[in-house]
Coordinates of all heavy atoms in Angstrom, one line a residue:
E121 N -3.5 5.2 -23.1 CA -4.5 4.9 -22.0 C -4.3 5.9 -20.9 O -3.2 6.0 -20.4 CB -4.3 3.5 -21.5 CG -5.3 3.2 -20.4 CD -5.2 1.7 -20.0 OE1 -4.8 0.8 -20.8 OE2 -5.5 1.4 -18.8
P122 N -5.3 6.7 -20.5 CA -5.1 7.6 -19.4 C -4.9 6.9 -18.0 O -5.4 5.8 -17.9 CB -6.5 8.4 -19.4 CG -7.4 7.5 -20.1 CD -6.6 6.7 -21.0
E123 N -4.2 7.6 -17.1 CA -4.0 7.0 -15.8 C -5.3 7.2 -15.0 O -5.9 8.2 -15.0 CB -2.9 7.7 -15.1 CG -1.6 7.5 -15.8 CD -0.4 8.2 -15.0 OE1 -0.4 8.1 -13.8 OE2 0.4 8.8 -15.6
R124 N -5.6 6.2 -14.2 CA -6.7 6.2 -13.2 C -6.3 5.4 -12.0 O -5.7 4.4 -12.1 CB -8.0 5.7 -13.8 CG -8.5 6.5 -15.0 CD -9.9 6.0 -15.5 NE -9.9 4.6 -15.7 CZ -11.0 3.8 -15.4 NH1 -12.1 4.4 -14.9 NH2 -11.0 2.5 -15.5
Y125 N -6.8 5.9 -10.8 CA -6.4 5.3 -9.6 C -7.6 5.3 -8.7 O -8.5 6.1 -8.7 CB -5.3 6.1 -8.9 CG -4.1 6.2 -9.7 CD1 -3.9 7.3 -10.6 CD2 -3.1 5.3 -9.6 CE1 -2.7 7.4 -11.3 CE2 -1.9 5.3 -10.4 CZ -1.7 6.4 -11.2 OH -0.6 6.5 -12.0
A126 N -7.7 4.2 -7.8 CA -8.7 4.1 -6.7 C -7.9 4.3 -5.4 O -6.9 3.6 -5.2 CB -9.3 2.8 -6.7
V127 N -8.3 5.3 -4.6 CA -7.6 5.6 -3.4 C -8.6 5.4 -2.3 O -9.6 6.1 -2.2 CB -7.1 7.1 -3.4 CG1 -6.4 7.4 -2.1 CG2 -6.2 7.4 -4.6
T128 N -8.3 4.4 -1.4 CA -9.2 4.0 -0.3 C -8.6 4.6 1.0 O -7.4 4.4 1.3 CB -9.3 2.5 -0.2 OG1 -9.9 2.0 -1.4 CG2 -10.3 2.1 0.9
L129 N -9.4 5.3 1.7 CA -9.0 5.9 3.0 C -9.6 5.0 4.1 O -10.8 4.6 4.1 CB -9.5 7.3 3.1 CG -8.8 8.3 2.2 CD1 -9.7 8.8 1.2 CD2 -8.2 9.4 3.0
F130 N -8.8 4.8 5.2 CA -9.2 4.0 6.3 C -9.2 4.8 7.6 O -8.4 5.8 7.8 CB -8.1 2.9 6.5 CG -8.1 1.9 5.4 CD1 -7.2 2.1 4.3 CD2 -8.9 0.8 5.3 CE1 -7.1 1.3 3.2 CE2 -8.9 -0.1 4.2 CZ -8.0 0.2 3.2
S131 N -10.1 4.5 8.5 CA -10.1 5.1 9.8 C -9.0 4.7 10.7 O -8.2 3.8 10.3 CB -11.4 4.7 10.5 OG -11.4 3.4 10.9
G132 N -8.8 5.3 11.8 CA -7.7 4.9 12.7 C -7.9 3.4 13.2 O -6.9 2.8 13.5
G133 N -9.1 2.9 13.2 CA -9.3 1.5 13.5 C -9.3 0.6 12.4 O -9.4 -0.6 12.5
G134 N -9.0 1.1 11.2 CA -8.8 0.2 10.0 C -10.1 0.0 9.1 O -10.0 -0.7 8.1
A135 N -11.2 0.6 9.5 CA -12.4 0.5 8.7 C -12.3 1.4 7.5 O -11.7 2.5 7.5 CB -13.6 0.9 9.5
V136 N -12.9 1.0 6.4 CA -12.9 1.8 5.1 C -13.8 3.0 5.4 O -15.0 2.8 5.8 CB -13.3 1.0 3.9 CG1 -13.5 1.9 2.7 CG2 -12.3 -0.1 3.6
L137 N -13.3 4.2 5.1 CA -14.1 5.4 5.2 C -14.7 5.8 3.9 O -15.9 6.1 3.8 CB -13.3 6.6 5.7 CG -12.8 6.5 7.1 CD1 -11.8 7.7 7.4 CD2 -13.9 6.5 8.1
R138 N -13.9 5.7 2.8 CA -14.4 6.0 1.5 C -13.3 5.7 0.5 O -12.2 5.5 0.8 CB -14.7 7.5 1.3 CG -13.6 8.5 1.4 CD -14.0 9.9 1.2 NE -14.8 10.4 2.3 CZ -15.9 11.1 2.2 NH1 -16.4 11.4 1.0 NH2 -16.6 11.5 3.2
T139 N -13.8 5.5 -0.8 CA -12.8 5.3 -1.9 C -13.0 6.4 -2.9 O -14.2 6.7 -3.3 CB -13.1 3.9 -2.5 OG1 -12.8 2.9 -1.6 CG2 -12.1 3.7 -3.7
L140 N -11.9 7.0 -3.3 CA -12.0 8.1 -4.2 C -11.3 7.7 -5.5 O -10.5 6.8 -5.5 CB -11.2 9.3 -3.6 CG -11.6 9.8 -2.2 CD1 -10.6 10.7 -1.6 CD2 -12.9 10.5 -2.3
R141 N -11.7 8.4 -6.6 CA -11.1 8.1 -7.9 C -10.2 9.3 -8.3 O -10.5 10.4 -8.0 CB -12.1 7.9 -9.0 CG -13.1 6.8 -8.7 CD -12.4 5.5 -8.9 NE -13.4 4.4 -8.6 CZ -13.2 3.2 -8.9 NH1 -12.2 2.8 -9.6 NH2 -14.1 2.3 -8.6
A142 N -9.1 9.0 -8.9 CA -8.1 10.1 -9.3 C -7.8 9.8 -10.8 O -7.6 8.6 -11.2 CB -6.9 10.1 -8.4
E143 N -7.6 10.9 -11.5 CA -7.2 10.8 -12.9 C -5.8 11.1 -13.1 O -5.3 11.2 -14.3 CB -8.1 11.7 -13.8 CG -9.6 11.4 -13.7 CD -10.0 10.1 -14.2 OE1 -9.5 9.7 -15.3 OE2 -10.9 9.5 -13.6
A144 N -5.0 11.3 -12.0 CA -3.6 11.7 -12.1 C -2.9 11.1 -10.9 O -3.6 10.5 -10.0 CB -3.4 13.2 -12.2
Q145 N -1.6 11.3 -10.7 CA -0.9 10.8 -9.6 C -1.0 11.6 -8.4 O -0.2 11.4 -7.4 CB 0.6 10.6 -10.0 CG 0.8 9.5 -11.1 CD 2.2 9.3 -11.4 OE1 3.1 10.0 -10.9 NE2 2.5 8.5 -12.4
Q146 N -1.9 12.6 -8.3 CA -2.1 13.3 -7.1 C -3.6 13.4 -6.9 O -4.4 13.3 -7.8 CB -1.5 14.7 -7.2 CG -2.1 15.7 -8.2 CD -1.3 15.6 -9.5 OE1 -0.3 14.9 -9.6 NE2 -1.8 16.3 -10.5
L147 N -4.0 13.7 -5.7 CA -5.4 13.8 -5.3 C -5.6 14.9 -4.2 O -4.8 14.9 -3.3 CB -5.9 12.4 -4.7 CG -7.3 12.4 -4.1 CD1 -8.3 12.5 -5.2 CD2 -7.5 11.1 -3.4
H148 N -6.5 15.7 -4.4 CA -6.8 16.8 -3.4 C -8.0 16.3 -2.6 O -9.1 16.2 -3.1 CB -7.2 18.1 -4.1 CG -7.4 19.2 -3.2 ND1 -6.3 19.8 -2.6 CD2 -8.5 19.8 -2.7 CE1 -6.8 20.8 -1.8 NE2 -8.1 20.8 -1.9
Y149 N -7.7 15.9 -1.4 CA -8.7 15.3 -0.4 C -9.3 16.4 0.4 O -8.6 17.1 1.2 CB -8.0 14.2 0.4 CG -8.8 13.7 1.5 CD1 -10.1 13.1 1.3 CD2 -8.3 13.7 2.8 CE1 -10.8 12.6 2.4 CE2 -9.0 13.2 3.9 CZ -10.3 12.6 3.6 OH -11.0 12.1 4.7
T150 N -10.6 16.6 0.3 CA -11.2 17.8 1.0 C -12.2 17.4 2.1 O -12.8 18.2 2.8 CB -12.0 18.6 0.0 OG1 -13.0 17.8 -0.6 CG2 -11.1 19.2 -1.0
D151 N -12.3 16.1 2.4 CA -13.3 15.6 3.4 C -12.7 15.2 4.7 O -13.3 14.4 5.5 CB -14.1 14.5 2.8 CG -15.0 14.9 1.6 OD1 -15.6 16.0 1.8 OD2 -15.0 14.2 0.6
E152 N -11.5 15.7 5.0 CA -10.8 15.3 6.3 C -11.6 15.6 7.5 O -11.8 14.7 8.4 CB -9.5 16.0 6.3 CG -8.6 15.6 7.5 CD -7.3 16.3 7.5 OE1 -7.1 17.2 6.7 OE2 -6.5 15.9 8.4
A153 N -12.2 16.8 7.6 CA -13.0 17.2 8.8 C -14.3 16.3 8.9 O -14.6 15.9 10.0 CB -13.4 18.6 8.7
A154 N -14.9 16.0 7.8 CA -16.1 15.1 7.8 C -15.8 13.7 8.2 O -16.5 13.1 8.9 CB -16.8 15.2 6.5
D155 N -14.6 13.2 7.7 CA -14.2 11.8 7.9 C -13.6 11.6 9.3 O -13.9 10.6 9.9 CB -13.2 11.4 6.9 CG -13.9 11.1 5.5 OD1 -15.1 11.1 5.5 OD2 -13.1 11.1 4.5
F156 N -12.9 12.6 9.8 CA -12.2 12.4 11.1 C -12.5 13.4 12.2 O -12.2 13.1 13.4 CB -10.6 12.5 10.8 CG -10.1 11.5 9.9 CD1 -9.9 11.7 8.6 CD2 -9.8 10.2 10.4 CE1 -9.4 10.8 7.7 CE2 -9.3 9.2 9.6 CZ -9.1 9.5 8.2
G157 N -13.2 14.5 11.9 CA -13.6 15.4 12.9 C -12.5 16.4 13.2 O -12.8 17.4 13.9
S158 N -11.3 16.2 12.8 CA -10.2 17.1 13.1 C -9.0 16.9 12.1 O -9.0 15.8 11.5 CB -9.7 16.9 14.6 OG -9.1 15.7 14.7
P159 N -8.1 17.8 12.0 CA -7.0 17.6 11.1 C -6.1 16.4 11.6 O -6.0 16.1 12.8 CB -6.2 18.9 11.2 CG -7.1 19.9 11.7 CD -8.1 19.1 12.6
Q160 N -5.6 15.6 10.6 CA -4.8 14.4 10.9 C -3.4 14.7 10.5 O -3.1 15.5 9.6 CB -5.3 13.3 10.1 CG -6.8 12.9 10.3 CD -7.0 12.5 11.7 OE1 -6.5 11.4 12.1 NE2 -7.8 13.2 12.5
R161 N -2.4 14.1 11.2 CA -1.0 14.2 10.9 C -0.6 13.3 9.8 O 0.3 13.5 9.0 CB -0.1 14.0 12.1 CG -0.3 15.1 13.1 CD 0.6 14.8 14.3 NE 0.5 15.9 15.3 CZ 1.5 16.5 15.8 NH1 2.7 16.2 15.4 NH2 1.3 17.5 16.6
S162 N -1.4 12.2 9.7 CA -1.1 11.2 8.6 C -2.4 10.5 8.3 O -3.4 10.5 9.0 CB -0.1 10.2 9.1 OG -0.5 9.4 10.2
L163 N -2.5 9.8 7.1 CA -3.6 9.1 6.7 C -3.2 7.7 6.3 O -2.1 7.5 5.7 CB -4.3 9.8 5.5 CG -4.9 11.2 5.7 CD1 -5.3 11.8 4.4 CD2 -6.0 11.1 6.7
D164 N -4.1 6.7 6.6 CA -3.9 5.3 6.2 C -4.6 5.1 4.9 O -5.9 5.3 4.8 CB -4.4 4.4 7.3 CG -4.2 2.9 7.0 OD1 -3.5 2.6 6.1 OD2 -4.8 2.1 7.8
V165 N -3.9 4.9 3.8 CA -4.5 4.8 2.5 C -4.1 3.6 1.7 O -3.0 3.0 2.0 CB -4.3 6.1 1.6 CG1 -4.8 7.3 2.3 CG2 -2.8 6.2 1.3
A166 N -4.9 3.1 0.8 CA -4.5 2.1 -0.2 C -4.7 2.7 -1.6 O -5.8 3.3 -1.9 CB -5.3 0.8 0.0
V167 N -3.7 2.5 -2.5 CA -3.8 3.0 -3.9 C -3.7 1.8 -4.8 O -2.8 1.0 -4.7 CB -2.7 4.0 -4.1 CG1 -2.8 4.6 -5.5 CG2 -2.8 5.2 -3.1
A168 N -4.6 1.8 -5.8 CA -4.6 0.8 -6.9 C -4.7 1.5 -8.2 O -5.6 2.4 -8.3 CB -5.7 -0.2 -6.7
Q169 N -3.9 1.2 -9.2 CA -4.1 1.7 -10.5 C -5.2 0.9 -11.2 O -5.3 -0.3 -11.0 CB -2.8 1.6 -11.3 CG -2.9 2.4 -12.6 CD -1.5 2.5 -13.3 OE1 -0.6 1.8 -13.0 NE2 -1.5 3.4 -14.3
I170 N -6.0 1.6 -11.9 CA -7.2 1.0 -12.6 C -6.9 0.9 -14.1 O -6.7 1.9 -14.8 CB -8.5 1.9 -12.4 CG1 -8.7 2.0 -10.9 CG2 -9.6 1.2 -13.1 CD1 -9.8 3.0 -10.6
G171 N -6.9 -0.3 -14.6 CA -6.6 -0.5 -16.0 C -7.9 -0.5 -16.8 O -9.0 -0.9 -16.3
A172 N -7.9 -0.1 -18.1 CA -9.1 0.0 -18.9 C -9.7 -1.4 -19.1 O -10.9 -1.6 -19.2 CB -8.8 0.7 -20.2
V173 N -8.8 -2.4 -19.2 CA -9.3 -3.8 -19.5 C -9.4 -4.6 -18.3 O -10.5 -5.3 -18.1 CB -8.2 -4.5 -20.5 CG1 -8.6 -5.9 -20.8 CG2 -8.2 -3.7 -21.8
A174 N -8.4 -4.6 -17.4 CA -8.4 -5.5 -16.3 C -9.0 -4.9 -15.0 O -9.3 -5.7 -14.0 CB -7.0 -6.0 -15.9
G175 N -9.3 -3.6 -15.0 CA -9.9 -3.0 -13.8 C -8.8 -2.7 -12.8 O -7.6 -2.6 -13.2
P176 N -9.1 -2.6 -11.5 CA -8.1 -2.3 -10.5 C -7.1 -3.4 -10.3 O -7.4 -4.6 -10.3 CB -8.9 -2.1 -9.2 CG -10.3 -1.9 -9.7 CD -10.5 -2.7 -11.0
G177 N -5.8 -2.9 -10.2 CA -4.7 -3.9 -9.9 C -4.6 -4.0 -8.4 O -5.4 -3.5 -7.7
P178 N -3.6 -4.7 -8.0 CA -3.4 -4.9 -6.5 C -3.1 -3.5 -5.9 O -2.4 -2.7 -6.5 CB -2.2 -5.8 -6.4 CG -1.5 -5.8 -7.7 CD -2.5 -5.4 -8.7
A179 N -3.6 -3.3 -4.7 CA -3.4 -2.1 -4.0 C -2.2 -2.1 -3.1 O -1.8 -3.2 -2.6 CB -4.6 -1.8 -3.1
C180 N -1.6 -0.9 -2.9 CA -0.5 -0.8 -2.0 C -1.0 0.1 -0.9 O -1.5 1.2 -1.1 CB 0.7 -0.1 -2.7 SG 2.1 0.1 -1.7
R181 N -0.9 -0.4 0.3 CA -1.4 0.3 1.5 C -0.2 0.9 2.3 O 0.8 0.3 2.5 CB -2.2 -0.6 2.4 CG -2.9 0.1 3.5 CD -3.9 -0.8 4.1 NE -4.5 -0.2 5.3 CZ -5.5 -0.8 6.0 NH1 -6.0 -1.9 5.6 NH2 -5.9 -0.2 7.1
A182 N -0.4 2.2 2.7 CA 0.7 2.8 3.5 C 0.0 4.0 4.3 O -1.1 4.4 4.1 CB 1.7 3.4 2.6
R183 N 0.8 4.4 5.4 CA 0.4 5.6 6.1 C 1.3 6.7 5.6 O 2.5 6.6 5.6 CB 0.7 5.3 7.6 CG 0.3 6.5 8.5 CD 0.2 6.2 9.9 NE -1.0 5.3 10.2 CZ -2.2 5.7 10.3 NH1 -2.5 7.0 10.2 NH2 -3.2 4.9 10.6
I184 N 0.6 7.8 5.2 CA 1.3 8.9 4.5 C 1.1 10.2 5.4 O 0.0 10.4 5.9 CB 0.8 9.1 3.1 CG1 -0.7 9.4 3.0 CG2 1.2 7.9 2.2 CD1 -1.1 9.8 1.7
P185 N 2.1 11.0 5.4 CA 2.0 12.3 6.1 C 1.0 13.2 5.3 O 0.9 13.2 4.1 CB 3.4 12.9 6.2 CG 4.1 12.2 5.0 CD 3.4 10.9 4.8
V186 N 0.4 14.1 6.1 CA -0.6 15.1 5.5 C 0.1 16.4 5.4 O 0.7 16.9 6.4 CB -1.8 15.2 6.4 CG1 -2.7 16.3 5.8 CG2 -2.6 13.9 6.4
R187 N 0.1 17.0 4.2 CA 0.6 18.4 4.0 C -0.6 19.3 4.1 O -1.6 19.1 3.4 CB 1.3 18.5 2.7 CG 2.5 17.7 2.5 CD 3.3 18.1 1.3 NE 2.4 18.0 0.1 CZ 2.8 18.2 -1.1 NH1 4.0 18.5 -1.4 NH2 1.9 18.1 -2.1
S188 N -0.4 20.4 4.8 CA -1.5 21.4 4.8 C -1.4 22.3 3.6 O -0.3 22.5 3.1 CB -1.4 22.2 6.1 OG -0.2 22.9 6.2
A189 N -2.6 22.8 3.2 CA -2.6 23.6 2.0 C -2.1 25.0 2.2 O -2.0 25.5 3.2 CB -4.0 23.7 1.5

């Protein structure tokens, strides 16, 4: 079964900005300027693995540092 993930990004106030899908354990996020207006030092995200039968599992939410490209 291939790996799939749902990655939800939250605003500084905790509102959901968008949910992205990933087919691997990494994700290249390109909408930072559109979502926040400026570069961020960290992002508030929740990640859930998506199973083929059961759908998304429980999400793990964390604030992660941003690496510049």
